[in-house]
């Protein structure tokens, strides 16, 4: 048997918190990926979630993808027991199937998410538009919440609260969508 890494422990607690939220009816889990990249020797865990009422209209659901990632440096420092902080990166992306011209201003979305996640978080927005044979087909807005630091096992007890913030963010974005 092996000693689990910080990535393994954080992934297990995050996965449990997300499945608990689904069991309680707060979230619907849409997709799960547990990836090992042998070329870069990294691990990535992704869960895509949505609010239960959003899933009914599959083509227009607001979703969030939460990603936990440990690269070679993170894993090797831990396995070699180096005197550095051990952890992984956490990345959140909210996807809204709508373009910015149909929504309130970028500043409002940024303000809402910084109110939930904290003013020290970086909020990035990317708009995608799909055209086929010169005709507009669909647009989507990806909103990333970046933590700009490693998440360590010392924050493991914060993960259930993180999932609650995720649910709160989805509800606030849904209010903008339906507002």
């Amino acid at each position: 048997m092996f000693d689990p890494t910080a990535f393994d422990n954080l992934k297990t607690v995050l996965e449990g918190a997300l499945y608990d939220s689904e069991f309680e009816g707060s979230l619907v889990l849409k997709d799960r990926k547990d990836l090992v990249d042998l070329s870069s020797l990294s691990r990535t865990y992704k869960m895509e979630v949505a609010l239960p009422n959003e899933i009914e209209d599959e083509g227009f659901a607001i979703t969030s993808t939460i990603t936990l990632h440990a690269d070679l440096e993170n894993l090797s420092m831990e396995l070699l027991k180096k005197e550095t902080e051990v952890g992984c990166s956490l990345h959140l992306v909210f996807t809204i199937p709508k373009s910015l011209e149909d929504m309130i201003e970028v500043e409002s979305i940024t303000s809402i998410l910084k109110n939930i996640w904290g003013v020290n978080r970086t909020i990035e927005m990317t708009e995608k538009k799909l055209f086929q044979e010169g005709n507009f087909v669909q647009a989507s807005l990806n909103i990333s919440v970046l933590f700009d630091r490693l998440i360590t096992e010392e924050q493991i007890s914060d993960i259930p609260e993180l999932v609650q913030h995720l649910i709160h963010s989805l509800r606030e974005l849904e209010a903008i969508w339906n507002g």
Side-chain angles (χ1 to χ4, degrees):
M1 182 137 178
F2 70 98
D3 186 23
T5 63
F7 176 88
D8 293 311
N9 292 331
L10 288 162
K11 181 189 94 161
T12 300
V13 174
L14 175 61
E15 186 174 47
L18 290 168
Y19 279 118
D20 286 348
S21 293
E22 183 179 47
F23 181 74
E24 295 164 358
S26 303
L27 286 177
V28 173
L29 302 180
K30 294 184 63 177
D31 194 17
R32 173 182 173 269
K33 291 186 176 26
D34 195 349
L35 308 169
V36 175
D37 185 336
L38 296 176
S39 64
S40 65
L41 298 175
S42 64
R43 295 192 55 196
T44 303
Y45 178 73
K46 291 184 177 192
M47 288 284 270
E48 183 182 4
V49 300
L51 295 174
N53 55 334
E54 284 288 307
I55 208 70
E56 296 167 6
D57 189 4
E58 187 71 28
F60 294 99
I62 298 172
T63 62
S64 180
T65 302
I66 185 166
T67 304
L68 199 60
H69 179 78
D71 61 17
L72 176 60
E73 182 180 5
N74 302 128
L75 294 170
S76 65
M77 290 297 186
E78 182 172 5
L79 294 172
L80 295 172
K81 300 184 184 339
K82 297 290 181 182
E83 298 280 332
T84 62
E85 190 173 55
V86 176
C88 17
S89 62
L90 181 71
H91 186 95
L92 296 170
V93 177
F94 297 94
T95 302
I96 302 173
K98 201 166 187 178
S99 64
L100 280 172
E101 57 258 10
D102 299 326
M103 299 186 62
I104 67 171
E105 296 179 35
V106 171
E107 292 83 19
S108 297
I109 295 170
T110 301
S111 175
I112 288 167
L113 291 175
K114 283 195 177 246
N115 186 43
I116 295 169
W117 294 99
V119 294
N120 295 331
R121 302 293 170 251
T122 301
I123 309 293
E124 295 179 350
M125 295 184 206
T126 307
E127 187 175 46
K128 295 180 184 178
K129 293 185 179 184
L130 175 63
F131 293 87
Q132 288 179 342
E133 298 181 19
N135 297 316
F136 175 75
V137 177
Q138 70 184 29
S140 66
L141 178 63
N142 287 339
I143 306 163
S144 298
V145 178
L146 307 174
F147 289 80
D148 300 325
R149 64 178 175 83
L150 287 179
I151 306 300
T152 68
E153 287 178 302
E154 291 177 8
Q155 286 98 25
I156 211 161
S157 62
D158 296 338
I159 289 178
E161 185 178 353
L162 179 133
V163 171
Q164 291 307 309
H165 284 353
L166 176 77
I167 294 166
H168 184 70
S169 298
L170 283 168
R171 288 181 181 148
E172 290 292 322
L173 292 171
E174 181 186 66
I176 294 170
W177 171 269
N178 293 329

